[in-house]
Amino acid sequence: MSIPVPPQQTESPYAAGESPYGAGAPYQPDPTQPHCRFCGSVPAADVTVRGHQGFLVMMKFLRLPGPFCRDCGTATVRRMTANSLWQGWWGLASALINPFTMLMNLVTWLKLRKLAPPAPGAPGTPLPVGRPLYLRPQILGLLIPVVAVGAIVYSAKQDPDFATAGDCVHNSGTAFSPDVSVVDCGGPDAQYKVLGRVESSSDTACAAFPDRVASYVVTRGSSSYSLCLARLGGN
Ligand SMILES: [Zn+2]
């Protein structure tokens, strides 16, 4: 009596179109290789998909470990990255972390797309991969950091704290309660030209500028500065 010897496995155990689980045989996962966590099919890559959510002062790091087959992995990368494109920017730290989260998903996706299509015969159906990210409305989330940086730069340009000699300013408040902003020197709002900035709030801070007609003094705690101002056009 002879013991049947199992056939030797070749490098690629499955013929094209053949089920890796045996023709008509019940699903028997091979413990030596990873199976997709969603549909159970092979081949699957043991990778992790990430997401990020910012909540101004708090943040959430999302991670979904595999293994994933090519299709379930692609669907998951697209879904979690799309969510991060909207939810990942809200907070200073989050805005810095979110691009790295999405770059890590890009690396994960590059690994997943090298996989062969999920072999048939798995217990579950692979997830539909859905539309690519650039065709989803969430791709507009990439504009959020661009708009935020633009708004910060724009408000900094108007902030008298950053005014230097040669800038022009407009006071939309009163002499006693000034509301000064930096404006375009050629624009209709320009009232005064900044002759210089002195790191002092004393009455003589602008003594070095004989042309000055006004000064704008800001004191915050122990630090203060004066903008020495001349009337525009000399009238
Ligand atoms: Zn799958």
Side-chain angles (χ1 to χ4, degrees):
M1 187 177 156
S2 65
I3 300 161
V5 178
Q8 283 286 308
Q9 277 209 339
T10 54
E11 257 184 40
S12 175
Y14 320 121
E18 189 198 348
S19 166
Y21 317 108
Y27 173 68
Q28 279 182 330
D30 175 357
T32 61
Q33 60 172 323
H35 291 246
C36 176
R37 63 172 290 160
F38 288 121
C39 67
S41 67
V42 291
D46 215 346
V47 291
T48 298
V49 185
R50 290 161 206 278
H52 190 79
Q53 293 177 327
F55 303 97
L56 299 182
V57 288
M58 276 178 53
M59 58 183 120
K60 221 175 189 176
F61 296 87
L62 309 170
R63 60 192 299 276
L64 185 57
F68 299 99
C69 70
R70 190 193 65 179
D71 290 4
C72 295
T74 301
T76 306
V77 166
R78 286 177 176 176
R79 177 175 57 82
M80 291 183 74
T81 308
N83 288 341
S84 302
L85 276 166
W86 273 124
Q87 302 167 346
W89 303 109
W90 310 106
L92 196 57
S94 287
L96 299 173
I97 291 164
N98 201 31
F100 290 100
T101 306
M102 294 193 286
L103 277 179
M104 286 161 93
N105 278 355
L106 179 65
V107 172
T108 297
W109 178 68
L110 291 175
K111 285 179 190 161
L112 287 164
R113 71 195 287 251
K114 285 191 196 143
L115 293 175
T125 308
L127 297 172
V129 294
R131 292 201 289 173
L133 276 172
Y134 63 88
L135 290 179
R136 299 186 187 205
Q138 288 95 330
I139 196 68
L140 294 174
L142 282 179
L143 293 175
I144 294 170
V146 177
V147 170
V149 168
I152 290 168
V153 169
Y154 180 73
S155 69
K157 279 179 85 170
Q158 291 190 308
D159 191 333
D161 282 1
F162 301 104
T164 54
D167 283 344
C168 294
V169 296
H170 174 80
N171 179 18
S172 47
T174 64
F176 297 104
S177 176
D179 181 8
V180 170
S181 54
V182 177
V183 295
D184 181 13
C185 284
D189 287 343
Q191 281 180 310
Y192 302 99
K193 196 176 197 92
V194 177
L195 295 169
R197 173 185 160 125
V198 184
E199 304 302 315
S200 162
S201 60
S202 84
D203 290 346
T204 56
C206 287
F209 302 99
D211 289 345
R212 61 128 192 153
V213 296
S215 53
Y216 173 61
V217 182
V218 175
T219 301
R220 281 192 201 96
S222 59
S223 77
S224 56
Y225 70 88
S226 301
L227 294 181
C228 308
L229 306 173
R231 180 120 10 227
L232 257 190
N235 50 12

